[in-house]
Amino acid sequence: MGALSLLGIAAGGIALLLLLIIRFKVHAFVALLLVSILVGLVSGMPLVTVPATADGPEQLGIIPAITAGMGDTLGSVALLVALGAMLGRMIEVSGGAGSLAGRFTGRLGPRRVSAALTAAALVLAVPVFFDVGFIILVPIIYGFAKAAGVDPVRFGLPVAGIMLAVHVSIPPHPGIVGGSALLGADIGWVLILGLIVCAPLAVLSQYVAKRLTRRDIPMPAATRARFESFGKGSGEGSNGSASGNDDGSGSGGTLTATEAPPSMWTVLTLVITPLLLIMLGTTGETVLPEGHDLRPVLSFIGAPVFALLVALMLAFFLLGIRRRWSLAHIGEVMEAALPPVAIVILVTGAGGVFAKILTESGVGEALADTLSGTGLPILLLGFVLSVALRASQGSATVAILTSSGLLTDMITGGDYSTIQVALIALAIAFGALGLSHVNDSGFWVVTRFLGLSVSDGLRTWTVLTTVLGVAGFLLVSLLWLVLS
């Protein structure tokens, strides 16, 4: 099938998806699966997997592609969301989130708290994947929002924006590392220049998010109920303790009237511990040579799943056992965290399905081939190619790697300096930042946790990521003019 036909099918699929969700109120999980199957059929994907032959590689069938897309996405998301939700629920029910939020909000005020959260997110996102870091910060965002009396999107949107900007542009994240390797870019220069660009983007994220959320955005009923119940009865008594009648036997989910919430330092320990473990693993892989005995050990303890599990076990002891909660009560608190995030997991997985179908149908390859022959300047070409791939198939990492691979020959055959190659890699990275929408699993993570409908997510999250992506590219272009 021709490139224009494939691009038309992809555009039609996205339009149909938006129509089903926004106009006809079809559940996002169901709509994503239906449109994925339809796009696969119309684009000519085989009904069953076609084995590899001498004439071509293996072609996944529609249903196998759906299964693979769901599995690939949930393999990295489901465990993290579940463990992060349990950790957040323990912090919430113990009164820790309300305690921490009240302390910061009382001392700094809502405006400064939001800026401080965004600045902290800039730092935390360097060693930690976007979805992991955001999930870890969700209970803190909720706690601050409740203490300040605002919806969580006010604090959460700028945090998510700068975390995604760091994720696409700063090593050791996989997209920029892989793209730099393909282009032959120096990782050290990519890191330095990427940090130079991301620092002003944090300020921009705060400003743009504030403008986008200046009006009240209605939250879906389920998210509103979850947010309203967050920390309810925790840290709200006259002396900073909760009112309620839970005796710790497992029959309730709040503090007793005499039980004080955990200290700010206890909560910070639970939040920072998984981040430090992940940082340790990342540092080990970066600093230690191949074959060093400590590399596999540090990689293991720095794995996000293990790091979150360690933090959850710490919460089990610090917030439960040490505070004389019964084992039954601790189990009920953890179990109660899972139903609210089940839909987040399923919709995120379905977003991965749609992205997989678009990739397997050849849309990404067709788009790349079309743009490669335009004759644009190399910096602009890298940006445009990456943002187009990002919009068409959803994955920022795939967009960066694909764009870098297509431009490799042009880079190696050109007379570019070390700094120029690093800037080309960053132009590609910031192209992959923009246009996060319904075929991006991160879109669903952010919108579901912050209580945004699909239409509101497109008006806020999609706009924010696009503004940050364009601004990042303009700053890279400025550096190109100054340093070349």
Side-chain angles (χ1 to χ4, degrees), residues 4-296:
L4 291 179
S5 298
L6 286 172
L7 295 178
I9 291 170
I14 292 171
L16 176 60
L17 182 60
L18 295 176
L19 183 66
L20 288 174
I21 295 174
I22 297 173
R23 175 66 178 85
F24 295 105
K25 309 301 181 185
V26 177
H27 194 280
F29 177 69
V30 177
L32 282 163
L33 293 179
L34 288 174
V35 173
S36 295
I37 292 174
L38 184 59
V39 168
L41 290 171
V42 176
S43 64
M45 285 183 64
L47 298 180
V48 296
T49 299
V50 177
T53 64
D55 298 326
E58 178 186 71
Q59 292 180 283
L60 283 180
I62 294 175
I63 299 302
I66 288 175
T67 303
M70 180 68 76
D72 292 345
T73 304
L74 294 189
S76 60
V77 171
L79 290 173
L80 300 179
V81 171
L83 290 172
M86 287 182 173
L87 176 62
R89 181 66 175 166
M90 288 287 289
I91 294 174
E92 169 196 347
V93 172
S94 69
S99 173
L100 183 64
R103 179 74 64 89
F104 272 78
T105 304
R107 290 185 177 182
L108 302 177
R111 291 185 179 180
R112 292 182 180 178
V113 167
S114 180
L117 269 176
T118 305
L122 168 64
V123 176
L124 296 176
V126 173
V128 182
F129 280 14
F130 166 69
D131 50 359
V132 181
F134 183 72
I135 290 167
I136 289 174
L137 290 178
V138 162
I140 307 303
I141 292 169
Y142 272 34
F144 284 173
K146 289 214 72 174
V150 299
D151 287 343
V153 69
R154 300 284 176 87
F155 289 162
L157 195 65
V159 165
I162 191 57
M163 292 188 83
L164 185 57
V166 171
H167 180 83
V168 300
S169 63
I170 303 296
H173 294 292
I176 188 62
V177 170
S180 298
L182 290 171
L183 296 174
D186 183 272
I187 288 292
W189 274 113
V190 171
L191 176 62
I192 293 170
L193 296 172
L195 289 173
I196 290 174
V197 174
C198 282
L201 289 186
V203 179
L204 182 62
S205 181
Q206 184 73 25
Y207 174 77
V208 174
K210 182 179 179 181
R211 297 285 296 176
L212 292 173
T213 59
R214 64 186 182 275
R215 66 175 181 85
D216 290 333
I217 300 175
M219 295 172 66
T223 308
R224 169 64 68 184
R226 184 166 71 247
F227 177 63
E228 293 293 342
S229 67
F230 181 86
K232 199 168 186 178
S234 303
E236 296 175 355
S238 58
N239 297 318
S241 60
S243 60
N245 56 9
D246 180 18
D247 60 3
S249 63
S251 58
T254 60
L255 298 172
T256 66
T258 59
E259 184 182 0
S263 69
M264 177 183 69
W265 297 111
T266 298
V267 178
L268 287 176
T269 296
L270 296 175
V271 173
I272 293 173
T273 293
L275 302 177
L276 290 178
L277 289 175
I278 294 170
M279 289 176 63
L280 185 61
T282 300
T283 303
E285 291 185 357
T286 304
V287 175
L288 296 179
E290 290 285 350
H292 195 285
D293 292 341
L294 285 180
R295 269 184 72 109

Side-chain angles (χ1 to χ4, degrees), residues 428-464:
I428 293 172
F430 285 114
L433 172 59
L435 294 179
S436 169
H437 63 97
V438 292
N439 62 354
D440 174 24
S441 60
F443 174 89
W444 299 104
V445 170
V446 172
T447 55
R448 294 298 165 175
F449 274 116
L450 296 184
L452 295 169
S453 66
V454 172
S455 56
D456 286 326
L458 293 171
R459 285 193 289 264
T460 55
W461 174 244
T462 303
V463 171
L464 176 62

Side-chain angles (χ1 to χ4, degrees), residues 306-329:
F306 181 80
L308 279 173
L309 188 58
V310 169
L312 185 60
M313 291 301 97
L314 277 177
F316 184 92
F317 174 74
L318 295 176
L319 303 182
I321 300 299
R322 196 173 73 170
R323 294 157 60 81
R324 301 185 184 279
W325 285 7
S326 69
L327 294 178
H329 178 54

